[in-house]
Each structure stands twice: as structure tokens, then as C-alpha cells.
Amino acid sequence: MKKAICKLVSDSTYGQSKFHTTEKLPKELSAAYEDRTWREKSHYDENGIVFIPGTSFATSLREAAKYLSIQIPGNGKATFTKHFDAGIIVTQNISLGVHKDDLKKTTVFVPSDGRVGGSKRVIKHFPIVFSWSGEIEYAIMDDVITQDVFEQVLKTSGQLIGIGYWRPRNRGLYGRFSVKSIEWIEL
């Protein structure tokens, strides 16, 4: 097993769109509900401090491995994709140090059914953070994954896949990040 402790920094705005089940008030209109509950689309701890879920980074890394489809040397056409899919665990979140009540929002006109090209559109608000930085720890359980391959996939995940909503993987501009350093620890 290995650990990669990575210092990351945002290259673009980051937006969250967590599903929530806040109930509508009696006779509350959809627009009023959206205005009242948009902060609930953020991930926050018991003190209301917003964080980026570690699973966002794990998902981005898996998608980047699939996107790159790097072949394993000496193993025919086999790629690293399944090794990234099953062999990496992210063990923490990145705290953004901002309280959910202090978040900024963006307002967008989106398809009401959530499908690209939907004919009916509605106004939605989403929480955004303009810049962030932090440290994330990847536990690499699969020994097939090398330091060089991990670094290449992580950098690609930050630039071409991203995290959050409206990220590059979903034809957006938000959620890009750069890798400032990687500390590689053999256990």
C-alpha cells in the first residue's frame, strides 16, 4: 500500500449541487423554495463549515484514468482503469473554511428535468466558491499503480475532468484544479 498526500489549488470557480430533501412550506412557490434552500445544495459539517467531499476527488481520478486509458507496460492491451477504479480510497474531505451562511450563489436557467436540451427551463441557484486550496490524501491499495501514472492521472483529473457541477467533464468551466505537490509514501 502507498499514500499520496497531494496539495491542490483551484484554477476556476467550484460549484456544489448536493441533493437535499428540505420540505416546501405550505403554499410556497418553487421560486421562493429555491431562494430559501439553495445553501442546502452545499456539503457542510455539523458546524456549518463547507467542504469538498473526498469522493469528488476519487470520482474525478477514476474518470481521468478511464479517459486516459493508459496501457500497463508488459501486460498487452490491459489498462490502469480498473486498478484506479478499485484500488484507490480517498480518506478525507477538504474544508473550505467558509460557513454555509456566507456562501455566494450563482443563478442559472436549467432544464427542469435535468436533461441536456430539455424544452422546459427553470431558474435554479447553486452555491459557489471562487477559489480554494487544500490537502487530500489518496490511499493506493493496488500496487500496479505507479507514482508516475498516478501523477499523470491526477493532473488530468484536475484539468480535464474537474469536481463539482458544471465541471469540464460535463462541458462546463467550473471545478478545475492544479496539483502543487505530491508526497509519495510507501507503507
Side-chain angles (χ1 to χ4, degrees), residues 18 39-40 62 70 82 116 131 134 149 157 173 175 180:
K18 183 186 88 172
R39 288 179 181 85
E40 297 306 312
R62 285 186 201 102
I70 302 167
K82 69 180 179 183
V116 175
S131 66
V149 170
S157 79
L173 301 174
K180 290 301 170 195

Side-chain angles (χ1 to χ4, degrees), residues 5-160:
I5 300 170
C6 306
K7 291 186 178 164
L8 309 175
V9 64
S10 64
D11 288 337
S12 63
T13 300
Y14 166 65
Q16 295 190 330
S17 61
K18 183 186 88 172
F19 174 76
H20 68 91
T21 57
T22 307
E23 291 189 25
K24 273 189 169 182
L25 300 174
K27 299 184 181 183
E28 184 174 34
L29 298 176
S30 294
Y33 174 79
E34 189 66 24
D35 284 339
R36 180 174 64 86
T37 64
W38 66 268
R39 288 179 181 85
E40 297 306 312
K41 296 175 187 171
S42 64
H43 296 270
Y44 55 87
D45 64 19
E46 62 278 355
N47 298 315
I49 303 301
V50 179
F51 63 86
I52 303 172
T55 54
S56 294
F57 294 101
T59 299
S60 181
L61 194 70
R62 285 186 201 102
E63 288 183 23
K66 185 176 181 180
Y67 173 82
L68 291 171
S69 293
I70 302 167
Q71 290 184 354
I72 302 169
N75 207 354
K77 295 284 186 188
T79 68
F80 284 97
T81 303
K82 69 180 179 183
H83 299 277
F84 274 85
D85 203 27
I88 298 199
I89 299 169
V90 177
T91 58
Q92 83 240 15
N93 305 317
I94 290 183
S95 176
L96 298 179
V98 61
H99 195 276
K100 72 175 185 130
D101 293 342
D102 297 326
L103 284 169
K104 304 293 183 207
K105 72 178 175 183
T106 186
T107 302
V108 292
F109 199 48
V110 297
S112 62
D113 60 3
R115 295 186 180 145
V116 175
S119 59
K120 291 181 85 178
R121 293 188 164 271
V122 294
I123 291 175
K124 294 284 185 183
H125 306 300
F126 294 97
I128 57 172
V129 175
F130 294 106
S131 66
W132 59 268
S133 64
E135 195 171 88
I136 197 87
E137 184 177 298
Y138 295 88
I140 302 155
M141 315 298 278
D142 193 324
D143 289 333
V144 172
I145 299 169
T146 65
Q147 185 174 354
D148 290 339
V149 170
F150 176 83
E151 186 173 337
Q152 181 182 358
V153 172
L154 181 61
K155 287 180 178 178
T156 299
S157 79
Q159 294 304 302
L160 300 180

